Amino acid sequence: MPRLSEVIAALETLWPAEWAESWDAVGTVVGDPDQEVARVLFAVDPVQEIVDEAVKLGADLLVTHHPLYLRGTTTVAASTFKGRVVHTLIKNDIALHVAHTNADRADPGVSDALAGALDLRVVRPLVPDPTDPEGRRGLGRVCELDHPLTVRELAARAAERLPATTQGIRIAGDPEAQVRTVAVSGGSGDSLLDDVRAAGVDAFLTADLRHHPASEFTADRAHSPLALLDAAHWATEWPWCELAAAQLDEISDRHGWDLRVHVSKTVTDPWTAHAASAPTQTPGAPN
Ligand SMILES: [Zn+2]
């Protein structure tokens, strides 16, 4: 049975910490390097629900995409929700390791998993990592479709293939426009809109798109007739858990470790319900 330090060293080959953004907080949050690891759980969010699942499963290591602490803290008291997470982990001998923007940037990374879930052919990173001479790593991915789809059809495919959320997929732009090329970015993609425009793709699938950037983006039709597809943040990153679990499985086989690797199916999207507007209801219109 491998020790935590050996498993972490293997994970570091997939997602070296130096690939993370400077503001990020990746790596091991909780764990004794000498503890033995037999069972690993992958999830997007290090929240109590997921930690409770790890306890129930008998996991020795929880690997999440999102950091537990992104900024400094002065307390891990169990009276705070993050402190309770820390307490539960330590009391149950479960280590926590985070691979966030280093996993975004990796090849394959978070956006490759998203593209793979939708059967999109990855052509290149949307924003290549300048430190990668091969140009394979970076943020987001530019993809091609084997057969063109309308924006509406692409959104339907995303709604069908990504884990179900109350939001589903929102579309900005013409739902009947043809899509041959699409940029994808797991997680919040607001900051990549200029790169998407420069890439000249027909559509962009991401999460957390806000009113003003989306409005400005779709209004500028002279430069960009492209459509935006907005999914739930958690749903766009969840496919990475399956990819990462398969990668660790392969490493485990290679080392003869016989690790049991699991992917959490718990929905940690914070949005729990959705009320559709009445079709005829517009501001000021009589009911
Ligand atoms: Zn995220």
Side-chain angles (χ1 to χ4, degrees), residues 44-45 65-67 100 104 110 186-188 208 233-234 236-237:
V44 173
D45 293 300
H65 182 51
H66 289 147
H100 191 210
D104 287 334
V110 175
S188 305
D208 293 343
H233 186 129
W234 168 83
T236 62
E237 295 180 329

Coordinates of all heavy atoms in Angstrom, one line a residue, residues 44-45 65-67 100 104 110 186-188 208 233-234 236-237, ligand 1:
V44 N -15.4 17.8 -6.9 CA -15.1 19.2 -7.3 C -14.9 20.1 -6.0 O -13.9 20.9 -6.0 CB -16.2 19.8 -8.2 CG1 -16.0 21.3 -8.4 CG2 -16.3 19.0 -9.5
D45 N -15.8 19.9 -5.0 CA -15.8 20.9 -3.9 C -15.4 20.2 -2.6 O -16.0 19.2 -2.2 CB -17.2 21.5 -3.8 CG -17.5 22.4 -5.0 OD1 -16.8 23.4 -5.2 OD2 -18.5 22.1 -5.7
H65 N -11.0 19.7 -6.8 CA -10.6 20.7 -7.7 C -10.5 22.1 -7.0 O -9.5 22.8 -7.2 CB -11.5 20.7 -8.9 CG -11.1 21.7 -10.0 ND1 -9.9 21.8 -10.5 CD2 -11.8 22.7 -10.6 CE1 -9.8 22.7 -11.4 NE2 -11.0 23.3 -11.5
H66 N -11.5 22.4 -6.2 CA -11.5 23.7 -5.6 C -10.7 23.7 -4.3 O -10.8 22.7 -3.5 CB -12.9 24.1 -5.3 CG -13.7 24.5 -6.6 ND1 -15.0 24.4 -6.8 CD2 -13.2 25.1 -7.7 CE1 -15.4 24.8 -8.0 NE2 -14.3 25.2 -8.6
P67 N -10.0 24.7 -4.0 CA -9.2 24.8 -2.7 C -10.2 24.9 -1.5 O -11.3 25.4 -1.7 CB -8.4 26.1 -2.9 CG -8.4 26.5 -4.3 CD -9.7 25.9 -4.9
H100 N -6.1 22.6 -8.7 CA -7.1 23.7 -9.2 C -6.6 24.2 -10.6 O -6.7 23.5 -11.6 CB -7.2 24.7 -8.1 CG -8.3 25.7 -8.4 ND1 -8.3 27.0 -7.9 CD2 -9.5 25.6 -9.0 CE1 -9.4 27.6 -8.3 NE2 -10.2 26.8 -9.0
D104 N -6.3 22.9 -14.5 CA -6.9 23.6 -15.6 C -5.9 23.6 -16.8 O -6.2 23.4 -17.9 CB -7.2 25.0 -15.3 CG -8.4 25.2 -14.4 OD1 -9.3 24.3 -14.4 OD2 -8.5 26.2 -13.6
V110 N -8.8 20.1 -17.2 CA -10.2 20.3 -16.9 C -11.0 20.5 -18.1 O -12.1 19.9 -18.3 CB -10.4 21.4 -15.8 CG1 -11.9 21.7 -15.6 CG2 -9.7 21.1 -14.5
G186 N -13.8 25.0 -18.5 CA -14.5 24.5 -17.3 C -14.3 25.6 -16.2 O -13.3 26.2 -16.1
G187 N -15.4 25.8 -15.5 CA -15.4 26.9 -14.4 C -15.7 28.2 -15.0 O -16.2 28.4 -16.1
S188 N -15.4 29.3 -14.3 CA -15.7 30.7 -14.6 C -14.9 31.1 -15.8 O -13.7 31.2 -15.8 CB -15.4 31.6 -13.5 OG -16.1 31.2 -12.3
D208 N -20.7 30.7 -15.2 CA -20.6 32.0 -14.4 C -20.5 33.2 -15.3 O -19.9 34.2 -14.9 CB -19.4 32.0 -13.5 CG -19.5 30.9 -12.4 OD1 -20.6 30.5 -12.2 OD2 -18.5 30.6 -11.8
H233 N -21.3 26.0 -13.0 CA -19.8 25.9 -12.7 C -19.4 24.4 -12.4 O -18.6 23.9 -13.0 CB -19.5 26.9 -11.6 CG -18.0 27.0 -11.3 ND1 -17.4 28.2 -11.2 CD2 -17.1 26.1 -11.0 CE1 -16.2 28.1 -11.0 NE2 -15.9 26.8 -10.8
W234 N -20.1 23.9 -11.4 CA -19.8 22.5 -10.9 C -19.9 21.5 -12.0 O -19.0 20.6 -12.2 CB -20.8 22.2 -9.8 CG -20.7 20.7 -9.4 CD1 -19.8 20.1 -8.6 CD2 -21.6 19.7 -9.9 NE1 -20.1 18.8 -8.5 CE2 -21.2 18.5 -9.3 CE3 -22.7 19.7 -10.7 CZ2 -21.8 17.3 -9.5 CZ3 -23.4 18.5 -11.0 CH2 -22.9 17.3 -10.4
T236 N -19.5 21.9 -15.2 CA -18.4 22.0 -16.3 C -17.1 21.4 -15.8 O -16.2 21.1 -16.6 CB -18.2 23.5 -16.7 OG1 -17.8 24.2 -15.6 CG2 -19.4 24.1 -17.3
E237 N -17.0 21.3 -14.4 CA -15.7 20.8 -13.9 C -15.8 19.4 -13.5 O -14.8 18.7 -13.3 CB -15.2 21.7 -12.7 CG -14.9 23.1 -13.2 CD -14.5 24.0 -12.1 OE1 -14.9 23.9 -11.0 OE2 -13.7 25.0 -12.4
Ligands
ZN1 ZN -14.1 26.0 -10.5

